[in-house]
Amino acid sequence: MPPATPATSASDQNLSLTQQPQRVTFMDVLRVLACFMVVMVHSGEYFYIGPGDVIIRDHTYGADVYGSALRACVPLFVLTSGYLLLPIRESTSTFFRRRFTRILAPFVVWSVIYVLYFHKYTDALSLGQQVLLLGVNWTSGHLWFVYMLLGLYAFAPVISPWLRDASAREERWFLLAWCVTLLLPYVRLYVPQVWGEAFWNPIGGAYYFSGYLGYFVLGHYLRVHLQLSPTRCRALGLGLLLLGYGLTYWGFASRLPWARSVSELELTWAYLTGNVAMMTVGWYLLLRDLPAPGARAQQWLAKGSQLSFGVYLAHILVLEQVHHWLVDYMPPGLLVIPVQATLTFALTYVLVAALSYLPNSRYLIG
């Protein structure tokens, strides 16, 4: 993850070229919050997804309530990256060397760890084949995020020149087009192929404005161009968060009795939907003008933010152990998911913090 210091831009004329940008505390808050959200989302999956991806419909123990509220987790990670990185302020070669070293090396290490963990009872040849497949796809479900992040980082030098020169109005046009694409998951329920899509052409006209690039650019727009008073910011943020949550929860809860697959059930939980984008912006606006915490709290937040990528990579290993232990000691109920998530987050943080003291730990935890 990028350090919580924003990239300079044309709008930052008051910063000298030699000045070091100040750390943005609320960005640390957002990233620590997003990391905990991810852990809690994955904690909830045990209670509505059964073996073989069979949907558990009777007792979800709040997975529908919690999961709907936390869908902004991944978009917040992307938004904060765009806020802090765009436009890039270093040469392309330096940017790639720093970012890809920080992301790619730990990703490979943890991918191999997950191969060994999930395939520990297979033969050496099968393990080797799984490792070689890293260049194609992930070895543990949550690692899909890293491929997406690497793609955005690879595209950052391409879009940065445009962002340096683009006006607020030009960025808004891009984001408006992106918002249209966030409606397509629902449009495709009725019209499966839109704007030139066909079996011989999977890339329609909306493709070029779609995907996580929208959250990436949105982070830059919110930092550079959005001018709102703290009161209006919080009011708008709360409204977007509540509206987005209501739509997200309703979509999941209404599908739970009849959905035939997890993907069908989680339609409104998709990160690239308008309702989840509402919640993402809502969280940002609510937390943007938080009062500055004390020096000790800022240090803890900065440390947590720096370790968030390592926590993301490692938490599935810890979560599996915590879940197997907790089911024997804690009766099912609405508290089991947050307790499981809190224990997992705390233990994973301790593990990653310990690993951070090893030599060259950046190759292990980012």
Side-chain angles (χ1 to χ4, degrees):
M1 299 295 172
T5 51
T8 55
S9 70
S11 67
D12 301 322
Q13 298 296 330
N14 58 325
L15 279 177
S16 73
L17 294 177
T18 58
Q19 249 184 310
Q20 291 295 319
Q22 295 297 307
R23 190 166 192 94
V24 184
T25 300
F26 90 94
M27 283 283 107
D28 290 330
V29 173
L30 278 177
R31 285 200 296 189
V32 172
L33 174 65
C35 191
F36 179 75
M37 284 178 168
V38 167
V39 176
M40 192 144 165
V41 164
H42 291 155
S43 295
E45 289 180 353
Y46 290 97
F47 301 97
Y48 71 93
I49 304 176
D53 286 348
V54 174
I55 297 173
I56 302 171
R57 306 180 194 274
D58 298 330
H59 303 289
T60 60
Y61 302 112
D64 49 351
V65 176
Y66 300 130
S68 299
L70 304 173
R71 299 320 289 182
C73 52
V74 166
L76 281 173
F77 271 128
V78 180
L79 185 148
T80 57
S81 292
Y83 183 104
L84 297 167
L85 289 178
L86 294 177
I88 61 172
R89 59 181 183 269
E90 54 204 341
S91 69
T92 300
S93 59
T94 301
F95 176 80
F96 282 163
R97 185 173 64 252
R98 292 178 61 189
R99 297 300 158 199
F100 280 75
T101 299
R102 185 177 174 86
I103 299 297
L104 194 56
F107 167 65
V108 171
V109 170
W110 282 97
S111 294
V112 173
I113 290 173
Y114 281 109
V115 166
L116 297 174
Y117 179 74
F118 288 119
H119 301 276
K120 51 183 173 288
Y121 299 117
T122 59
D123 57 83
L125 179 60
S126 297
L127 288 175
Q129 290 173 339
Q130 290 294 326
V131 172
L132 290 175
L133 287 174
L134 286 179
V136 180
N137 216 335
W138 36 262
T139 59
S140 177
H142 71 299
L143 296 180
W144 74 270
F145 169 79
V146 184
Y147 291 94
M148 178 269 291
L149 190 64
L150 290 171
L152 289 176
Y153 283 2
F155 199 70
V158 177
I159 200 170
S160 287
W162 177 71
L163 288 173
R164 289 191 192 98
D165 297 330
S167 65
R169 184 177 182 181
E170 288 169 334
E171 280 194 57
R172 282 196 295 271
W173 275 113
F174 171 86
L175 292 171
L176 178 61
W178 173 67
C179 287
V180 171
T181 72
L182 300 180
L183 302 176
L184 292 184
Y186 305 118
V187 172
R188 288 195 172 100
L189 292 174
Y190 306 97
V191 185
Q193 295 173 328
V194 298
W195 297 331
E197 294 172 342
F199 76 86
W200 64 86
N201 177 43
I203 298 175
Y207 175 83
Y208 305 99
F209 294 91
S210 63
Y212 292 92
L213 181 63
Y215 287 118
F216 207 38
V217 173
L218 179 61
H220 174 269
Y221 178 85
L222 292 173
R223 176 175 66 86
V224 175
H225 297 299
L226 185 69
Q227 303 293 329
L228 284 177
S229 68
T231 301
R232 292 182 64 189
C233 203
R234 284 190 289 267
L236 179 58
L238 182 60
L240 286 172
L241 189 58
L242 292 177
L243 177 58
Y245 173 74
L247 294 170
T248 305
Y249 174 78
W250 170 80
F252 184 91
S254 64
R255 287 171 164 263
L256 184 59
W258 58 265
R260 294 162 294 182
S261 65
V262 174
S263 61
E264 193 172 44
L265 172 64
E266 292 187 353
L267 174 67
T268 58
W269 280 14
Y271 300 126
L272 295 173
T273 54
N275 45 287
V276 171
M278 287 180 195
M279 289 195 290
T280 303
V281 177
W283 280 113
Y284 170 89
L285 294 176
L286 273 178
L287 299 177
R288 191 194 71 173
D289 296 299
L290 281 176
R296 179 62 63 87
Q298 289 188 39
Q299 291 174 0
W300 278 101
L301 285 168
K303 184 68 173 178
S305 178
Q306 291 165 1
L307 298 179
S308 61
F309 184 58
V311 172
Y312 184 94
L313 292 174
H315 79 276
I316 292 296
L317 283 178
V318 179
L319 175 59
E320 288 224 339
Q321 309 312 312
V322 170
H323 175 72
H324 293 319
W325 173 80
L326 202 62
V327 292
D328 294 329
Y329 292 94
M330 186 171 182
L334 289 176
L335 290 179
V336 67
I337 294 176
V339 168
Q340 181 170 278
T342 301
L343 283 173
T344 300
F345 184 83
L347 291 172
T348 310
Y349 180 86
V350 170
L351 169 65
V352 173
L355 292 175
S356 71
Y357 290 101
L358 294 175
N360 296 314
S361 62
R362 68 182 182 277
Y363 297 115
L364 184 60
I365 60 172

